[in-house]
């Protein structure tokens, strides 16, 4: 099995959006569009900032990073910050280092702080905790266990048909070198 990593291209948008929809739901809580359509629209805006992993001519993972953010939606008081947009790996291929490699590709900047909005539905820690730590991220701000419910995310989550009681939300940061 040969893994190939490359910059995403416009032909990858639908495949990335389907992975995001299947694994996360959506992070675009403001959109009233159907989840897949909303994800296609979001990913299309930043497709040049995505990397993909391909195995047997199939996209099995993707990660994107924003341009420099203009607003401080998390009240972090940070300037010149970028944000990891999505980090997704097909469940069949998880645990093989694909997510770590994709996150490293998106986190190579020494010019900007990079934040990652992480979530977890296991009650103990965010799902991507170990990958984040491996890639040099530190927990920066705990948004609480009811952040997503308060912000109307639950209806767009991959677990939307389950009865979750809580979901951990945290902001992790990889700080630029000074």
């Amino acid at each position: 099995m040969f893994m190939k990593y490359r910059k995403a291209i416009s032909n990858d948008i639908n495949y990335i959006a389907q992975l995001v929809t299947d694994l996360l739901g959506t992070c675009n809580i403001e959109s009233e569009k159907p989840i897949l359509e909303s994800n296609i629209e979001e990913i299309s805006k930043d497709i040049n900032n995505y990397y993909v992993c391909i195995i047997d001519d199939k996209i099995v993972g993707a990660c994107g990073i924003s341009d420099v953010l203009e607003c401080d939606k998390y009240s972090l008081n940070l300037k010149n910050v970028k944000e990891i947009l999505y980090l997704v790996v097909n469940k069949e291929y998880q645990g093989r280092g694909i997510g770590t490699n994709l996150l490293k590709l998106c986190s190579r900047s020494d010019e900007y702080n990079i934040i990652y909005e992480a979530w977890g539905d296991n009650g103990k820690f965010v799902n991507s905790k170990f990958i984040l730590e491996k890639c040099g991220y530190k927990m920066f701000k705990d948004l609480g266990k009811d952040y997503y419910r308060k912000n109307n995310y639950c209806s767009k989550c991959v677990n939307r048909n389950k009865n979750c009681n809580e979901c951990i939300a945290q902001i992790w940061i990889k700080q630029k070198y000074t």
Side-chain angles (χ1 to χ4, degrees):
M1 175 175 52
F2 177 70
M3 289 183 220
K4 176 183 171 186
Y5 295 88
R6 65 165 169 77
K7 289 282 277 179
I9 58 174
S10 59
N11 288 346
D12 300 334
I13 293 170
N14 289 337
Y15 299 105
I16 296 169
Q18 189 65 58
L19 267 176
V20 170
T21 302
D22 292 346
L23 297 169
L24 301 177
T26 185
C27 289
N28 185 12
I29 57 180
E30 274 100 45
S31 178
E32 296 302 321
K33 295 179 180 177
I35 294 171
L36 179 59
E37 186 179 329
S38 175
N39 288 340
I40 290 170
E41 187 176 292
E42 283 296 304
I43 292 163
S44 296
K45 291 183 214 173
D46 294 299
I47 191 62
N48 294 327
N49 296 339
Y50 277 83
Y51 288 88
V52 294
C53 176
I54 300 169
I55 298 176
D56 297 329
D57 296 323
K58 176 181 165 189
I59 293 176
V60 299
C63 187
I65 187 166
S66 72
D67 289 323
V68 176
L69 296 179
E70 303 283 324
C71 65
D72 186 8
K73 67 181 178 181
Y74 303 106
S75 303
L76 302 175
N77 295 319
L78 294 172
K79 294 181 180 166
N80 290 331
V81 67
K82 291 187 171 201
E83 181 175 15
I84 296 298
L85 301 172
Y86 294 110
L87 172 59
V88 290
V89 177
N90 181 309
K91 286 184 180 182
E92 182 181 333
Y93 296 94
Q94 290 178 1
R96 300 179 189 191
I98 295 170
T100 301
N101 288 332
L102 287 167
L103 186 57
K104 284 180 179 178
L105 285 168
C106 287
S107 301
R108 292 188 290 195
S109 175
D110 290 341
E111 298 176 45
Y112 304 99
N113 291 317
I114 301 171
I115 60 173
Y116 184 106
E117 180 184 323
W119 65 281
D121 55 3
N122 61 27
K124 297 176 186 171
F125 47 81
V126 294
N127 297 346
S128 48
K129 175 186 190 310
F130 302 109
I131 291 174
L132 289 165
E133 289 174 341
K134 209 182 288 186
C135 292
Y137 285 76
K138 306 268 187 251
M139 209 277 278
F140 189 74
K141 183 177 183 177
D142 190 339
L143 299 173
K145 294 182 177 182
D146 60 352
Y147 175 80
Y148 291 122
R149 188 176 307 132
K150 283 182 182 176
N151 287 283
N152 196 29
Y153 175 76
C154 296
S155 65
K156 297 182 179 196
C157 173
V158 72
N159 294 329
R160 62 190 161 272
N161 298 322
K162 297 179 184 174
N163 294 325
C164 301
N165 292 325
E166 59 187 32
C167 192
I168 300 166
Q170 298 173 340
I171 301 298
W172 286 63
I173 189 167
K174 182 176 182 200
Q175 293 185 303
K176 67 181 178 182
Y177 298 106
T178 54

